[in-house]
């Protein structure tokens, strides 16, 4: 009985035959992209700080989707109750909710833009970014936990090569990825605290979104370099 209970809460690792988790997440990404496009179509009439926010949101979303698809640590294990790949999948869905929050931080109706304070948009956006990067860090921690997990003295989630599990060969613990994410998390956390300290004008908010966009690009560039090195 005890062995059955352990198996229920720690099922055997198997490679997935279907991309259920990837497909489901792709669909949700599509909903967020649609919200961005609704706002971007009004580009000529948008205030400068709204344009800057939408640029940062677009970089975040496209970078996240590309990173989601290209990640060397993207789990190809079957989602089961209650294995570690399932919890990483749950984190992906929570991230989508936060992406959506950033995408709709400004109204799609041009008539309502005059009622939106730049400081409020900056606060919501930077707070969401800090939460997103906290989830990125937790996602990386779970990946390290998967690489360290054992079953019967062997790696439970072994290295995947050419579409197959290499029995007995442990996957790499990706501490560099966690370090990169931790640096970005610290920066966005500091930014969230800064915008929360007082009201920002439109010009200041535009600068904040510009810096956020630059940091998002730098983060993705660092991750791409790291992934290229690991694939060698």
């Amino acid at each position: 009985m005890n062995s059955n209970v352990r198996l229920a809460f720690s099922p055997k690792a198997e490679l997935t035959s279907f991309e259920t988790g990837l497909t489901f997440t792709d669909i949700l990404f599509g909903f967020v992209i649609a919200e961005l496009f609704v706002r971007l179509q009004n580009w000529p009439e948008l205030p400068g700080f709204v344009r800057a926010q939408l640029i940062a949101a677009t970089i975040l979303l496209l970078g996240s989707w590309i990173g989601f698809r290209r990640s060397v640590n993207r789990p190809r294990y079957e989602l089961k109750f209650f294995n570690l790949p399932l919890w990483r999948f749950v984190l992906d869905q929570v991230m989508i909710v936060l992406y959506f929050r950033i995408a709709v931080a400004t109204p799609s109706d041009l008539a309502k833009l005059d009622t939106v304070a730049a400081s409020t948009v900056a606060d919501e956006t930077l707070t969401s970014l800090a939460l997103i990067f906290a989830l990125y860090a937790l996602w990386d921690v779970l990946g390290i936990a998967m690489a360290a997990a054992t079953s019967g003295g062997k790696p439970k989630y072994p290295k995947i090569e050419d579409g197959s599990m290499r029995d007995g060969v442990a996957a790499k613990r990706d501490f560099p990825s966690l370090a990169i994410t931790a640096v970005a998390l610290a920066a966005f956390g500091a930014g969230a605290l800064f915008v929360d300290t007082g009201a920002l004008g439109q010009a200041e908010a535009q600068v904040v979104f510009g810096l956020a966009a630059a940091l998002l690009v730098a983060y993705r560039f660092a991750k791409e370099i790291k992934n290229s090195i690991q694939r060698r």
Side-chain angles (χ1 to χ4, degrees):
M1 181 64 180
N2 289 336
S3 61
N4 291 332
V5 171
R6 285 196 299 271
L7 185 61
F9 284 93
S10 183
K12 180 182 177 181
E14 296 177 306
L15 291 182
T16 181
S17 301
F18 307 96
E19 291 192 341
T20 305
L22 290 173
T23 302
F24 182 78
T25 305
D26 282 340
I27 292 172
L28 295 184
F29 263 110
F31 286 123
V32 183
I33 291 172
E35 290 292 339
L36 281 178
F37 282 173
V38 167
R39 288 156 176 79
L40 288 169
Q41 68 179 344
N42 298 318
W43 184 266
E45 292 79 32
L46 296 177
F49 81 94
V50 175
R51 293 182 183 182
Q53 194 270 349
L54 290 175
I55 290 173
T58 302
I59 292 172
L60 169 70
L61 192 60
L62 294 181
S64 298
W65 184 78
I66 294 171
F68 173 78
R69 276 293 182 172
R70 283 179 52 79
S71 175
V72 295
N73 297 308
R74 172 59 46 195
R76 283 175 282 179
Y77 290 100
E78 191 74 35
L79 301 178
K80 300 179 180 180
F81 293 100
F82 295 92
N83 64 359
L84 290 175
L86 173 67
W87 294 117
R88 296 181 97 189
F89 172 75
V90 170
L91 289 181
D92 285 331
Q93 310 321 304
V94 178
M95 291 175 201
I96 293 287
V97 173
L98 293 171
Y99 296 153
F100 190 85
R101 184 185 180 197
I102 290 176
V104 300
T106 58
S108 58
D109 187 352
L110 288 174
K112 296 180 179 179
L113 281 177
D114 291 337
T115 65
V116 177
S119 59
T120 301
V121 176
D123 186 28
E124 291 182 0
T125 302
L126 268 294
T127 299
S128 296
L129 281 169
L131 291 173
I132 287 168
F133 275 84
L135 293 176
Y136 284 172
L138 184 55
W139 196 92
D140 288 336
V141 168
L142 287 178
I144 293 171
M146 285 179 62
T150 59
S151 178
K154 295 182 178 181
K156 183 171 183 177
Y157 300 98
K159 181 178 180 180
I160 298 175
E161 195 171 79
D162 297 326
S164 301
M165 293 188 295
R166 294 188 60 185
D167 188 41
V169 180
K172 183 177 293 185
R173 303 182 190 185
D174 196 1
F175 289 105
S177 184
L178 178 59
I180 294 170
T181 301
V183 172
L185 171 58
F188 281 117
L193 291 175
F194 170 74
V195 299
D196 191 46
T197 57
L200 297 178
Q202 292 191 12
E204 292 86 355
Q206 192 167 340
V207 172
V208 166
F209 293 136
L211 292 174
L215 182 57
L216 287 168
V217 171
Y219 172 75
R220 287 299 164 187
F221 185 68
K223 291 293 289 288
E224 188 64 28
I225 292 175
K226 187 270 303 179
N227 288 344
S228 298
I229 293 174
Q230 287 188 345
R231 286 191 174 98
R232 289 178 181 176

